[in-house]
Amino acid sequence: MSEIDCAELIISIVALAGTIVNVIFYIILTKKYNDMVNTQTLTAQGALETQVRASIHEATRNMLDFALRVNNEPENEMVQKAYFAAEEIYRNAYEDACAKYLDYKIDRDRFRKMYQREIQTLVENVDLKEFYDTVSSPYASTVAVYREWFGQA
């Protein structure tokens, strides 16, 4: 073997070693990147779930506050209108939450555990039948989630 052949062999071995090192670093960095993206996704999902919870809680509280005011001032038309607006905001909060559930933006198992009973009560409420028991319901996401969970509506 000549000196040129030995030099070419050494260069090839060094190049192969460099390639192997690059592949190892690539695998390590890809794993770190994927872990980082997963952490960011879970953080964003958690923030969104907190926002959903806060929205539903606030809407529920406002609706109950106005229900009490209607009870105390049954003749006051402004209080009645405010109650109906609060009731619509309440339904919209669930609609928004169900849309996020359907879009896989929140943890579906946790959402179902937390809101299954509330959504069932909402959709099956006889007084709210006009909102949920129509072909063109303005609350299509809520109805879709209800149907997914209970197979009806």
Side-chain angles (χ1 to χ4, degrees):
M1 195 188 294
S2 70
E3 288 182 21
I4 295 176
D5 289 339
C6 281
E8 288 176 355
L9 180 61
I10 291 171
I11 291 171
S12 295
I13 291 172
V14 169
L16 177 62
T19 301
I20 291 170
V21 168
N22 281 338
V23 167
I24 291 169
F25 279 131
Y26 175 78
I27 291 169
I28 291 169
L29 290 175
T30 300
K31 180 171 178 1
K32 285 183 180 181
Y33 173 77
N34 288 339
D35 290 346
M36 183 181 69
V37 168
N38 188 44
T39 299
Q40 289 175 339
T41 300
L42 290 174
T43 301
Q45 191 178 50
L48 193 55
E49 289 173 8
T50 300
Q51 177 189 8
V52 164
R53 225 178 347 267
S55 175
I56 289 173
H57 174 75
E58 181 70 18
T60 302
R61 189 177 62 77
N62 284 341
M63 187 180 69
L64 292 174
D65 287 346
F66 280 109
L68 289 173
R69 288 184 64 191
V70 166
N71 191 45
N72 292 335
E73 304 175 55
E75 303 300 319
N76 189 331
E77 281 187 42
M78 288 305 293
V79 171
Q80 289 178 3
K81 288 179 182 181
Y83 169 75
F84 290 126
E87 197 176 55
E88 183 175 358
I89 291 168
Y90 172 79
R91 290 189 302 271
N92 287 337
Y94 277 99
E95 177 67 9
D96 182 53
C98 288
K100 286 174 176 54
Y101 168 88
L102 293 171
D103 291 342
Y104 293 85
K105 292 182 178 178
I106 55 179
D107 184 286
R108 292 169 63 90
D109 292 332
R110 186 170 29 248
F111 181 82
R112 184 171 183 162
K113 287 175 188 173
M114 291 179 70
Y115 297 109
Q116 183 173 11
R117 185 175 41 85
E118 287 87 347
I119 290 172
Q120 181 179 23
T121 301
L122 189 65
V123 173
E124 292 178 358
N125 185 328
V126 175
D127 295 331
L128 302 176
K129 197 171 187 77
E130 67 183 282
F131 299 108
Y132 297 103
D133 195 23
T134 63
V135 176
S136 60
S137 171
Y139 306 103
S141 294
T142 307
V143 172
V145 169
Y146 177 84
R147 285 183 179 153
E148 179 182 319
W149 293 347
F150 302 102
Q152 56 194 16

